[in-house]
Amino acid sequence: MAELEDDEPQSDAPSGGLLGKLRSWAEGGKNRNLIVGVAFGLVTIGMVAMWMTAAEIAAGPEEPAVVRALKALDAGEDEEARSIIAELQDAETLTAEDYGGGLYVLGALKVNDAERQWSPDRSRTDYFVASKYLEEAKAIGFPEGREADGLYLLGKSLIESRQLKEGITNLRRAIAAGAHGEARAHLLLAEAFFFAPEPNFESTIREIDLAIADPEIGPGERSEALLLRAEALASLDRGEEALKIAQEAGGASDPARRALVEGKALVAQLESTAGSAAGTLAQQATEAIDRARRADKLATSITREGDYLKARVAQLTGQTDEALLAFDNLRRGYGASPAGIAAALAEAEIYQSEGKDEDALIAFRRVFDAIGDPATYRSSIVPLNALKLRVKAAHKEFISEGNHGAALELSDRVGRLLGITEKLEMRAETLRRWGEAEIARGEHEGREGLSRIHAGRQRLRRAGIAYERLAEARYATRQFTDDLWTAAEALQAGQAYGEAIRVLQRYLRNEPVQRNALALLRLGEAHLARAQIGPAIDNFEECLEFHANDASSFQARLECAKAYGAKGDYEKAEELLRHNLTRTALTPRSPEWRDSKFELGRLLTEAGRHEEAIYELEEAVGRYRDAPQTRDDPKVRHEVLTSEYLVAMAHREAAAEPLGRLKEANTVNERETAREQANEHLQAALKMYKSVQTQITLANSGDERDRVTLRNCFMLAGDVLFELGRYEEARQSFSNISTLYQNEPYMLEALVQIYHCWRRQGDQPKARGVIQQAQQLLARLPSDADFATSTNLSRTEWGRLLTRLSDF
């Protein structure tokens, strides 16, 4: 108990209140001290928790990241907005609103980045990236209340990254949705129409008028809109209106740009003005351009465009050398700029107009090299579509001038500018026109033009290949079968009949209606040219069976008759020809009727029905010899000559029968009758041969066919004269061949005939002399001389024959 008493306090209760008592109590032992410490800790934790709860209640819930990012974006704090979206991307779970809102913010930030870029290429890249963000945001859903602005930003990004069609669509939707600042959208649309590859200046003017009508448009935007309107008017050759609008732009506009637009308007007027008024306009334009250059302190694109316009003024006022010098200086200094490209194009056109095609091609190459990627090309001086049109016009000009080589080189270099399809089209047309021109020129030159004709056919074959490649490039278009057809026509004209057959068959598989009859006709003609008689007849008869009323059926019937004639079926051939002549709507003025008439005469000649052949051919010759179409068409003239030649041949062949009776006649009366009948045919043949000779000699066409016909006429007329016993005249006729074939194997035939004439005249020394002359000719003929196509004997056989004749 004493111990307990000792534990009691020895003094009065401590002062200091509750805390003092508690402290005094805790000092009474270790356990009491621990209890007090824990209690104080718990109280402190509770108070902190109470304060935090109170603060949280006072502050409210935290805003979503997208909302904070949008606020930062609206406040111009781009980096803060970017940082918030970056945190949002790291979140484990995201809602559709988070996705759509985040992409919208990223797109808007990229638009801001693009607007701050100094490089047009980098700016265009940023706009392209922005368009991808915003397109995705649109698909998911723009943030609530941002639909109109999202469409505006998307439209702007698309337009600035050269995605004009989609950009215009979205800007129109933005305007319909009530986008803030409607005037800006209309101005963007106006620029899109103005700088499009195919500018629409009327739409530019319409959009500008809508922008100006917006009461919220600022004075600076209004002035820029008016200047763009003036440029559009100048581009439409409405120079006076353009000048008036440019002057209305006022002081809020850039003075350099305003003066430049005034200069453009004056140049537009100058282009359609002549006389003294042109001098005044030229002076005013030069003054306006000089004002623009002085106001352009930093020598921007305004100065370069002004230099181009001054050179254009010099060109329009006839100062071509001065203009060329100015264009050259501008192109050398700023070749890759719109003004530099326009200057190079102007140089090319001037050189071409002066006939300096090589210089023109060099200038065109500079244009193509400077443009690079057409997708990035943007110019108010020469828009992309205008540039393409001018290059294609230059190509057509080269062709019309007959400079097909230059046209081909130009077409081979326009790939990046015009694309592979138009490049192939230009190349194919160039080769086709070149080939046709070469063949026409070669036919006019006669024998000397044979190599030219060969080259022309080669070019037509190349044209056919190019047209088929063009068809492949336009496979999914309506032009596919048209290209195949043109390819087939070019190949057939180039005598590539195998390729023509392949392409025509492909055409018929893809186009069973249009040109079907003509395609079957062409297919048959190609088979006939390759001596494929069976397939040719099949094609012609299919044409006649299924397209009996088509205009092509007349020619198909004629060609089918030729095929049957080649087959030896003269009866079927005659039936087809007489069908054309008597059972169709054809008249003697129709080419098919005329050709059928001539062909019937040839057919009867081949069939040995000489009297009938003479009747048909003489009627044809009498009808067409002096017709205007014969004088104007070399092919018809040759047809008439050939028919006269065939009449002579028919008479000559008809004389064979009475000559045969003459040899077998037993009485004087029989011999006299046979001789009279034979002489009648021989005289008629001789008369016709001489007529053909005279016509060919007077025409002096140089045509190789005429040359061959003339040779045959001299030879056959000599044979007829020999048969008539007029040996001196016969010898002279054979001698005439020497002027045509002095050093060719065919001359050997003529010399042998002359030998026989001398023998009949009883002059053996001269006969032997002619054989010696023939042997000398044979010896000096080159080793590769063509005996097979011009004579019936080989070199060796000629040697043996001449040796035998020399022994007589």
Side-chain angles (χ1 to χ4, degrees), residues 34 43 181 316 333 387 408 416 422 446 466 494 496 589 688:
L34 179 61
V43 170
L316 291 171
L387 177 58
L408 187 62
R416 295 192 69 183
E422 289 196 79
R589 299 184 64 181
M688 198 60 73

Coordinates of all heavy atoms in Angstrom, one line a residue, residues 34 43 181 316 333 387 408 416 422 446 466 494 496 589 688:
L34 N 2.6 6.4 -25.1 CA 2.3 5.7 -26.4 C 0.9 5.9 -26.8 O 0.5 6.2 -27.9 CB 2.7 4.3 -26.3 CG 2.4 3.4 -27.5 CD1 3.3 3.9 -28.7 CD2 2.7 1.9 -27.2
V43 N -5.9 11.7 -34.8 CA -6.6 13.0 -34.9 C -6.1 13.8 -36.1 O -6.8 14.3 -36.9 CB -6.5 13.8 -33.7 CG1 -7.0 15.2 -33.9 CG2 -7.3 13.1 -32.5
G181 N -17.8 32.5 -89.9 CA -17.0 33.2 -90.9 C -17.3 32.7 -92.3 O -16.4 32.1 -92.9
L316 N 3.4 41.0 -127.7 CA 2.1 41.4 -128.3 C 2.3 42.7 -129.2 O 1.5 42.9 -130.1 CB 1.1 41.7 -127.3 CG 0.6 40.5 -126.5 CD1 -0.3 40.9 -125.3 CD2 -0.2 39.5 -127.4
G333 N 16.7 32.9 -114.5 CA 16.8 33.3 -113.1 C 15.8 32.6 -112.2 O 16.1 32.3 -111.1
L387 N -1.9 24.9 -119.7 CA -0.5 24.5 -120.1 C -0.7 23.2 -120.9 O 0.0 23.0 -122.0 CB 0.3 24.2 -118.8 CG 1.7 23.6 -119.0 CD1 2.6 24.5 -119.9 CD2 2.4 23.4 -117.7
L408 N 6.8 13.6 -132.6 CA 7.0 12.3 -131.8 C 7.9 12.6 -130.6 O 7.6 12.0 -129.5 CB 7.7 11.3 -132.8 CG 7.8 9.9 -132.2 CD1 6.5 9.3 -131.9 CD2 8.6 9.0 -133.2
R416 N 4.8 12.9 -117.7 CA 4.5 13.4 -116.4 C 3.4 14.5 -116.4 O 2.6 14.6 -115.5 CB 5.7 13.9 -115.7 CG 6.8 12.8 -115.4 CD 7.8 13.3 -114.5 NE 7.3 13.5 -113.1 CZ 8.1 14.0 -112.1 NH1 9.3 14.3 -112.3 NH2 7.6 14.1 -110.9
E422 N -2.6 10.0 -122.3 CA -2.5 11.0 -123.3 C -1.2 10.9 -124.1 O -1.1 11.2 -125.3 CB -2.8 12.4 -122.7 CG -4.2 12.7 -122.3 CD -4.5 14.1 -122.1 OE1 -4.7 14.8 -123.1 OE2 -4.5 14.5 -120.9
G446 N 6.9 7.4 -157.0 CA 7.1 6.2 -157.9 C 8.2 5.3 -157.3 O 8.2 5.0 -156.1
A466 N 1.0 1.1 -130.6 CA 0.7 2.1 -129.6 C -0.8 2.3 -129.4 O -1.2 2.5 -128.2 CB 1.3 3.5 -130.2
G494 N -0.5 -1.0 -142.4 CA 1.0 -1.3 -142.4 C 1.3 -2.7 -142.9 O 2.5 -3.1 -142.8
A496 N 0.7 -5.5 -141.6 CA 0.9 -6.4 -140.5 C -0.4 -7.2 -140.3 O -1.1 -7.1 -139.3 CB 1.3 -5.7 -139.2
R589 N -22.0 5.1 -160.2 CA -21.2 6.1 -159.6 C -20.6 5.6 -158.2 O -19.8 6.2 -157.7 CB -22.1 7.3 -159.3 CG -22.6 8.0 -160.6 CD -23.4 9.2 -160.3 NE -22.5 10.3 -159.7 CZ -22.9 11.5 -159.4 NH1 -24.2 11.8 -159.5 NH2 -22.1 12.3 -158.9
M688 N -4.8 -1.3 -178.1 CA -5.0 -1.1 -176.7 C -3.6 -1.0 -176.0 O -3.5 -0.1 -175.1 CB -5.8 -2.2 -176.1 CG -6.5 -1.9 -174.8 SD -7.6 -0.4 -174.8 CE -9.0 -1.2 -175.7

